[in-house]
Each structure stands twice: as C-alpha cells, then as structure tokens.
Amino acid sequence: MSERAIVSVLVPAKDEAENLPEFLRQCAEAFPKVGAPTEVVIVDDGSRDGTPQVLAQLQVQYPFLRVVTHRRQRGIADALRSAGDAAEGDVFVFYPADLQYKPEDIPQLVAPILAGNADIVTGTKQGKYEKAFVSTVYNTLCRWLFGVRVTDLNSVKAYRREVMAHVPMRPDWHRFMVVIAAADGFRLTSTPVPLYPRTAGTSKFTWTRIPIGVLDLLSVWFQLRFGRKPIVWIGIILSVCQQFVGINVIFYYSTELWDAVGFTQADALGISV
C-alpha cells in the first residue's frame, strides 16, 4: 500500500483456501466505502490445505493484503494478537474468512469509531444460524454477569488498537474483549450485521467448547470482580476462614465440656446405647 492503513481487518484463517479468493474480492469492493485507507491482515493458523499457496497468489493480486503464518494452530486469540502486531491501522476489525459475514458490512462497523463516537462496535447477528441457542445463552449470561448492554458479544467487531492491550493473553479470551473493555471504560455500541450460511470449508466449532466457555466466563467475571480489588478477595477468604475456625473451636470445647461432665454425643442426640 502507498499510504499507511488507518483500518486493519484482522482475519484468522484455518484451512480456508476455498473461501479466501472470494473474501478478498469482496474486500476490494467494500474498502472504497470505508472512508480511510484499509488493509487486510490474514493469519494462516497452521492450515493443512492449500491456504499458504492461495495466500501467496492473492498477495500479488491485492496490495492491501498482509500475511502472517503460524506453523501450528494456535487459536483465534493468538491469531488476533499476531495480526495486531503486524497491522498498521489504528482501528482493528475482527472478521472471519468463512464468508458467513460479508466484507460489505465493514464500513458500517468502523464508521462510529472513525467519527469519534465509539471505541468498540459489535455486530448484532441477523437471520437464522446454527449456534443460535448457544449464542443466546452466552449473551444472556454476559449481560447478566457484566451488565453490558449490547445484544451480541460474540460476533464480528471493530475496536481501537489500544483495546487489545487490555485483553489478557489467554486462549479464547477474545470472546470477552467487549466486557473487559467495557470494564475499563471504553465506549460501546452495536450495529446489525447479516449472517449467511457457510458455502465452503468446514466449521471449527465443536460442542466441547461449551463447558470450557462457561469456565472462561466465570474466570473473567472473577477477575473483573476481585482481580482488580485484591483486598476485597483477601477479606472474603479471611472471613470464611475465621468462620470455619470459629465453628471448629466451638465444637472442640463443647466436646471437651461433654467429656468433663460425662455427657456423650449419643446423649445429646437422644440415642440409647
């Protein structure tokens, strides 16, 4: 690119060789509507299909494309971190390569940030999709636990570069970027984004992620609730320990007193022996 990118679209890609040419074609059509120089940073996350070869060809065709390669699969959170390190832009857009979200919706995602009205914009999924029930439960729990008043937290999103510095480097914690950023005072808004069926490649979602996701959710809640106020957490631990010790002390001396007067626990319970 001849000028520095202001918007960087970060794209984790694992075995997406079939989707990448069409994805980049649609990006090329959408970027003039962004209103700022825009690039795409695709992270090949340990692909085993023809993704590396396809990306090499696409880099020749599209000057706005950067490629980062992971030798093994490291997951979306690490891929976003690697893409962010390689990106030029001040505004990041998390977008999958599977074409379930169309690049034509990128301009409306970044518009509130470029206008100075928001720090994070989440896309609210529109239409029917496979994991609707799981997504609804997740979003409901997040709104209840964290008080974040956006409809869909687990979707495409645009955000300022500095938001990444506030997200812990842990697997799958990119899902909680919005709630962590909200706790740090970043401004949130949302916009409707259509979701389309996948036409090529295979979904990386497995149902084994659900219990792990619940544990991650509780971990984030615990960190935001107590991690930044360790004195509160220490006080709770000490209080619980004090109550536990107190109960045991009362039980011990009660037992000693019963023994001193020849009063057994069986007598106290009304049991004849």
Side-chain angles (χ1 to χ4, degrees), residues 186-198:
F186 288 98
R187 299 167 298 164
L188 310 180
T189 189
S190 61
T191 185
V193 176
L195 183 66
Y196 301 90
R198 176 187 274 271

Side-chain angles (χ1 to χ4, degrees), residues 114-241:
L114 295 177
N117 298 323
D119 301 310
I120 303 178
V121 181
T122 65
T124 303
K125 292 188 285 288
Q126 306 293 301
K128 297 180 179 180
Y129 52 99
E130 179 185 356
K131 302 181 291 291
F133 175 74
V134 175
S135 181
T136 299
V137 171
Y138 166 80
N139 285 307
T140 301
L141 284 173
C142 282
R143 289 195 297 271
W144 178 62
L145 287 173
F146 303 106
V148 177
R149 300 306 175 193
V150 293
T151 305
D152 198 340
L153 299 168
N154 193 22
S155 178
V156 291
K157 51 187 68 69
Y159 48 97
R160 297 191 186 277
R161 173 186 280 269
E162 54 265 33
V163 170
M164 287 295 291
H166 294 257
V167 180
M169 295 181 65
R170 301 187 187 182
D172 288 335
W173 275 37
H174 66 283
R175 303 179 189 279
F176 308 103
M177 179 190 303
V178 175
V179 296
I180 294 171
D184 284 328
F186 288 98
R187 299 167 298 164
L188 310 180
T189 189
S190 61
T191 185
V193 176
L195 183 66
Y196 301 90
R198 176 187 274 271
T199 57
T202 57
S203 173
K204 311 306 183 293
F205 175 82
T206 61
W207 291 98
T208 57
R209 286 189 185 180
I210 295 176
I212 297 173
V214 172
L215 292 175
D216 284 341
L217 182 67
L218 294 175
S219 297
V220 173
W221 177 84
F222 187 86
Q223 176 170 309
L224 293 180
R225 187 71 179 270
F226 300 112
R228 301 175 184 184
K229 298 178 180 178
I231 297 302
V232 174
W233 174 230
I234 292 171
I236 291 174
I237 293 176
L238 291 177
S239 177
V240 171
C241 290

Side-chain angles (χ1 to χ4, degrees), residues 54-112:
V54 170
L55 286 173
Q57 296 171 3
L58 292 172
Q59 274 189 294
V60 176
Q61 186 175 356
Y62 299 105
F64 58 73
L65 173 61
R66 294 172 182 262
V67 175
V68 178
T69 301
H70 288 172
R71 293 183 181 277
R72 60 177 178 82
Q73 185 177 7
R74 289 162 49 183
I76 294 177
D78 266 7
L80 288 176
R81 187 73 60 178
S82 296
D85 290 342
E88 290 186 345
D90 301 318
V91 178
F92 291 167
V93 184
F94 164 45
Y95 236 71
D98 58 15
L99 290 173
Q100 289 192 270
Y101 298 95
K102 302 297 186 185
E104 66 188 23
D105 294 308
I106 292 174
Q108 67 176 349
L109 274 174
V110 301

Side-chain angles (χ1 to χ4, degrees), residues 250-261:
I250 292 172
F251 179 79
Y252 173 77
Y253 281 107
S254 297
T255 304
E256 291 294 313
L257 179 61
W258 289 346
D259 290 343
V261 299

